[in-house]
């Protein structure tokens, strides 16, 4: 599967954007950040049809809404909360998306899944233990958000065990990067400032979205052809 041209443009714009962040030009957020996820979205939109295409586009749409809302997070706390809600919806849609993917490996790997589940549960408990004392009124929203993104990661890990390669690897690594991005954001906001936090948050976030999109496209690259062949 060759990457659609718009996904290559996404890489170029993302690279420019990240270099600007690294150089301290965070004011360019207003101009560059809102166009990045749409590039991914249009790349998916103009890709051939596959069963979960609209679900992937919906997840990207909520992510983009979250990106735009969070641009105003410094103005008032309500914008951070609304951005959190948008990304919560995005992660819920990603959960649905991952659950829709075709299982290609019938051999059960219960031990590996159990180990992965324990690691993810440990992350969730550890992160909440660190953050809860400083969350104030945001305790419940953050607990819900952390639980959902952990469940999203669990579904991606389950997919890593049962989906075809290399799409399973792309999606799983993308989900891990998403969790890392949100973890950096949470620690920076609620626990302790992290130097160049904006750069690291966006680096992991943009890589996460790209890998998940590429992974889903790879997982579905043969579905349309197979369906058409059956019709013939």
């Amino acid at each position: 599967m060759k990457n659609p041209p718009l996904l290559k443009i996404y890489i170029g714009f993302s690279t420019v954007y990240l270099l600007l962040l690294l150089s301290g030009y965070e004011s360019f957020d207003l101009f560059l950040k809102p166009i990045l996820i749409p590039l991914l979205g249009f790349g998916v939109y103009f890709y051939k049809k596959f069963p979960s295409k609209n679900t992937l586009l919906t997840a990207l749409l909520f992510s983009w809404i979250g990106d735009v809302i969070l641009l105003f997070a410094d103005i008032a706390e309500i914008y951070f909360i609304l951005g959190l809600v948008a990304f919560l919806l995005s992660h819920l849609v990603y959960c649905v998306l991952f659950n829709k993917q075709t299982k290609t490996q019938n051999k059960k790997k219960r031990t590996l899944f159990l180990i992965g589940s324990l690691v993810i549960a440990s992350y969730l408990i550890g992160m909440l233990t660190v953050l809860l004392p400083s969350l104030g009124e945001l305790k419940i929203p953050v607990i819900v958000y952390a639980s959902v993104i952990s469940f999203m990661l669990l579904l991606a890990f389950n997919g890593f065990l049962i989906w075809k390669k290399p799409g399973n690897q792309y999606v799983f690594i993308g989900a891990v990067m998403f969790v890392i991005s949100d973890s950096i954001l949470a620690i920076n906001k609620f626990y302790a400032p992290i130097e160049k936090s904006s750069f690291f948050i966006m680096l992991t976030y943009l890589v996460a979205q790209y890998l998940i999109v590429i992974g889903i496209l790879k997982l579905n690259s043969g579905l349309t052809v197979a369906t058409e062949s059956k019709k013939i």
Side-chain angles (χ1 to χ4, degrees):
M1 185 204 82
K2 293 183 178 180
N3 290 357
L6 283 169
L7 300 190
K8 295 178 181 179
I9 296 173
Y10 168 84
I11 294 175
F13 271 84
S14 296
T15 301
V16 171
Y17 172 66
L18 290 170
L19 288 174
L20 289 170
L21 282 183
L22 188 61
S23 301
Y25 296 103
E26 296 187 10
S27 58
F28 280 89
D29 261 8
L30 290 171
F31 305 101
L32 284 177
K33 190 177 180 181
I35 69 173
L36 296 176
I37 295 303
L39 286 172
L40 272 183
F42 282 118
V44 173
Y45 180 79
F46 290 112
Y47 190 72
K48 64 184 180 182
K49 292 183 179 180
F50 57 91
S52 54
K53 182 176 181 178
N54 288 337
T55 309
L56 176 55
L57 288 172
T58 302
L60 291 172
L61 174 62
F62 281 122
S63 293
W64 176 74
I65 292 172
D67 281 342
V68 173
I69 293 174
L70 288 178
L71 288 172
F72 307 97
D74 292 336
I75 298 176
E77 190 73 11
I78 186 62
Y79 290 108
F80 176 79
I81 296 173
L82 292 175
L84 196 71
V85 171
F87 274 107
L88 176 65
L89 293 173
S90 175
H91 290 311
L92 287 171
V93 178
Y94 272 131
C95 289
V96 174
L97 176 68
F98 296 165
N99 195 49
K100 283 186 174 183
Q101 301 312 302
T102 304
K103 178 181 177 181
T104 57
Q105 299 181 34
N106 294 319
K107 187 177 180 180
K108 295 182 179 179
K109 300 178 181 179
R110 293 180 179 176
T111 302
L112 284 176
F113 181 74
L114 179 59
I115 293 172
S117 300
L118 291 174
V119 171
I120 293 170
S122 298
Y123 154 79
L124 176 60
I125 294 170
M127 181 59 67
L128 291 177
T129 300
V130 170
L131 296 178
L132 281 178
S134 55
L135 291 178
E137 296 180 353
L138 291 177
K139 282 184 180 179
I140 293 179
V142 171
I143 289 173
V144 171
Y145 186 90
S147 300
V148 169
I149 194 172
S150 297
F151 183 62
M152 183 270 290
L153 178 58
L154 180 63
L155 290 178
F157 178 69
N158 181 60
F160 175 74
L161 300 176
I162 64 174
W163 298 332
K164 68 179 181 180
K165 296 180 180 179
N168 64 335
Q169 300 167 344
Y170 280 91
V171 173
F172 175 61
I173 296 172
V176 170
M177 296 298 284
F178 224 138
V179 171
I180 292 173
S181 179
D182 282 345
S183 299
I184 296 172
L185 187 153
I187 291 172
N188 181 70
K189 182 173 180 62
F190 299 114
Y191 186 70
I194 298 175
E195 188 175 355
K196 298 289 183 181
S197 61
S198 296
F199 170 76
F200 291 112
I201 290 168
M202 291 308 300
L203 171 64
T204 48
Y205 169 70
L206 294 173
V207 170
Q209 294 281 28
Y210 177 79
L211 290 178
I212 290 174
V213 166
I214 291 297
I216 295 298
L217 294 186
K218 286 183 178 294
L219 288 174
N220 291 275
S221 60
L223 292 184
T224 302
V225 175
T227 302
E228 291 175 353
S229 298
K230 289 181 180 180
K231 289 181 180 179
I232 295 172

